[in-house]
Amino acid sequence: MVRLLETDHLDDQLAALAWLRKQSFVQASRIAVAGTSFGGIEAVLGAERGTYCAAIDSAGGAQSWAEAPALQALMIASVRNAQVPIFFFQAENDFDLSPSKVLSAAMKDARKPYLLKIYPRYGGTRQDGHAFGYFGSAVWADDVFRFLDQHCTKK
């Protein structure tokens, strides 16, 4: 899993970013990366290697964090080397809040800009909480857009 995340999947993300940067209709200084769950992991990896204005990580690694020390190490190294601010968010009933808490603390220690927000329970199960990034946009959208406005201003 970790090998794919840091090679093939990240390579695809960076190729998409390179393509976007070449498009005349894209403001290159305002490209952000965002993802939920595995996509959140990719957003964190992209924050280190991509030339984004910001990254949004919703529940990245929440289902696999406890059983995947290699993933933990990869993500911690990525946030310590992040080139852009990262907004970490989860619902409090997600599988594991450790990724957002540990990664935001690593960014704080590295003096990197970040935001952490743990939202109230979403739905009745841990799976519902994990799906918050997909289905809870009515709750988190204003915070995400405020973060993007703060870090992705037109240059």
Side-chain angles (χ1 to χ4, degrees), residues 70-118:
L71 177 64
Q72 294 175 29
L74 175 65
M75 292 181 76
I76 290 168
S78 290
V79 299
R80 286 187 177 144
N81 296 315
Q83 303 300 308
V84 300
I86 304 174
F87 179 16
F88 303 94
F89 75 88
Q90 291 182 260
E92 70 180 350
N93 61 319
D94 199 345
F95 290 102
D96 187 350
L97 300 179
S98 299
S100 291
K101 291 179 177 181
V102 168
L103 297 174
S104 62
M107 287 194 82
K108 181 179 181 180
D109 290 347
R111 295 189 170 99
K112 303 282 182 168
Y114 72 93
L115 180 64
L116 167 64
K117 187 155 185 182
I118 305 300

Side-chain angles (χ1 to χ4, degrees), residues 7-79:
T7 57
D8 296 6
H9 295 182
L10 182 58
D11 291 344
D12 287 349
Q13 176 191 163
L14 297 175
L17 175 61
W19 180 86
L20 273 174
R21 290 194 162 285
K22 294 177 184 175
Q23 304 313 304
S24 62
F25 58 87
V26 173
Q27 294 176 3
S29 65
R30 300 188 78 193
I31 302 171
V33 62
T36 297
S37 195
F38 275 130
I41 296 169
E42 281 302 320
V44 165
L45 300 182
E48 177 185 14
R49 298 240 335 255
T51 52
Y52 298 103
C53 59
I56 310 297
D57 170 9
S58 169
Q63 283 187 280
S64 47
W65 186 262
E67 294 86 30
L71 177 64
Q72 294 175 29
L74 175 65
M75 292 181 76
I76 290 168
S78 290
V79 299

